[in-house]
Amino acid sequence: NFTYCPATGLAKGNEHSEFAGWAFPFPGVFLTEEFISEDEESEMVELMDRDEWKLSQSGRKKQDYGPKVNFKKQRLKAGSFTGLPSFSKKIVGQMKACSVLGGFLPVEQCNLDYMPERGSAIDPHFDDWWLWGERLVSLNLLSKTVLSMSCDSEDNIQLFPTFSKENGKLSPPGSLTQTSACKNSGKQGTNCILSPRLVPSKEVTVAIHLPRRSLVVLYGDARYKWKHAIYRKHIEHRRICVTFRELSAEFSAGGRHEELGKELLEIALSFQGTPV
């Protein structure tokens, strides 16, 4: 019932929902369009398709480049991991230009293949945070889709009126906007002030539209407070998602498993990998 606006960082109530004309700040999302060219996309997909795609859950196929992990027992080893694929070296280099990706060193890459004919989807979930760090980075290839965000928290979200019918412009979050008519007054042409309103987090869903060849980063609240999902209705054509993950603090400098983290990063950034 809300749509994320990259230009303002606001989640805006959808026109035909009860939240039309309301918005709230949605932190922790970085989205950049046309991150790679059409030629680069074609080359990447062609190279991926030379390797086997393994069947995954919910109608997806996958290719994993990463260490062997047992998340339930919290066990980790290099296993047959030989690094990220060679074609990702340039992509990882380009990430350095993104303001939110300073110091980002991917230790794992997962390619997921979605097809409407297979009913491909992924249910609302959090990515693990014992092993994976703050930033989740995904490159959206071959077709557009929608990343659907939902929240199980018992908290409330404070909405602010943001749409003025006089000028049709968004106002800054937190400001109170005059509208042409009060929703409840029934008097057309009467100016009035709308107060902020509270709604339970569980009643709010936010759509993040991902154009073809866009790069999205989830961090902060969007990573740890909001679950993300891809629904079947949002897979119209073949879509490949390339997700890169970094290590958590436990496996980074000064962490309990710093040495193992170093070893895995060295393997990952050799860029000599094949799917495990």
Side-chain angles (χ1 to χ4, degrees):
N1 40 36
F2 286 79
T3 299
Y4 177 73
C5 173
T8 60
L10 297 176
K12 297 161 53 183
N14 292 338
E15 195 177 325
H16 299 296
S17 79
E18 62 173 303
F19 301 115
W22 296 87
F24 66 97
F26 195 81
V29 179
F30 173 85
L31 179 67
T32 182
E33 298 187 24
E34 300 287 339
F35 185 74
I36 61 171
S37 68
E38 288 185 38
D39 288 345
E40 288 170 323
E41 177 189 51
S42 297
E43 185 183 354
M44 279 183 75
V45 173
E46 185 188 331
L47 290 169
M48 286 180 203
D49 284 343
R50 290 181 189 176
D51 286 317
E52 181 190 359
W53 287 93
K54 294 181 179 176
L55 276 175
S56 184
Q57 298 168 315
S58 305
R60 290 168 291 139
K61 289 185 176 181
K62 71 175 180 177
Q63 294 174 341
D64 272 324
Y65 301 83
K68 189 171 183 180
V69 189
N70 184 321
F71 289 107
K72 283 186 179 175
K73 295 182 179 177
Q74 293 196 342
R75 287 183 186 164
L76 173 68
K77 60 182 179 181
S80 54
F81 180 39
T82 53
L84 304 189
S86 57
F87 59 80
S88 293
K89 189 171 186 177
K90 187 179 177 185
I91 302 293
V92 172
Q94 285 172 221
M95 288 179 191
K96 291 174 184 172
C98 298
S99 57
V100 299
L101 290 177
F104 182 79
L105 297 172
V107 74
E108 193 244 19
Q109 176 179 328
C110 180
N111 304 335
L112 287 169
D113 183 311
Y114 291 74
M115 289 281 276
E117 295 83 355
R118 295 197 302 264
S120 303
I122 188 164
D123 290 335
H125 67 284
F126 292 113
D127 278 30
D128 173 82
W129 45 65
W130 161 68
L131 177 58
W132 309 133
E134 168 83 9
R135 295 163 291 188
L136 304 176
V137 183
S138 289
L139 185 58
N140 186 58
L141 303 179
L142 295 183
S143 62
K144 66 178 182 178
T145 193
V146 176
L147 193 60
S148 298
M149 311 295 287
S150 57
C151 186
D152 293 338
S153 165
E154 296 298 329
D155 297 342
N156 288 322
I157 292 173
Q158 189 171 34
L159 306 181
F160 297 98
T162 58
F163 191 77
S164 166
K165 290 181 183 174
E166 275 89 3
N167 56 31
K169 290 181 181 176
L170 280 171
S171 62
S175 67
L176 300 182
T177 307
Q178 287 196 324
T179 61
S180 302
C182 251
K183 207 170 184 179
N184 300 324
S185 71
K187 295 179 183 176
Q188 292 300 316
T190 305
N191 282 338
C192 66
I193 299 291
L194 294 176
S195 300
R197 79 189 248 208
L198 291 177
V199 295
S201 297
K202 291 178 180 178
E203 291 181 14
V204 171
T205 53
V206 180
I208 302 174
H209 288 266
L210 304 182
R212 183 176 177 176
R213 297 191 306 281
S214 64
L215 184 89
V216 66
V217 184
L218 301 182
Y219 60 97
D221 279 1
R223 159 83 164 103
Y224 296 112
K225 184 177 176 182
W226 292 80
K227 291 181 177 179
H228 57 276
I230 301 279
Y231 294 119
R232 289 182 181 187
K233 64 182 178 182
H234 293 136
I235 300 297
E236 298 169 13
H237 307 283
R238 187 187 186 195
R239 175 218 178 211
I240 291 177
C241 170
V242 184
T243 296
F244 298 90
R245 299 180 176 95
E246 64 185 339
L247 289 167
S248 67
E250 195 167 325
F251 293 88
S252 303
R256 207 154 53 105
H257 301 298
E258 177 183 356
E259 289 306 313
L260 177 55
K262 270 187 193 172
E263 179 197 341
L264 294 173
L265 268 179
E266 200 171 303
I267 296 170
L269 300 179
S270 69
F271 294 101
Q272 296 174 357
T274 53
V276 293

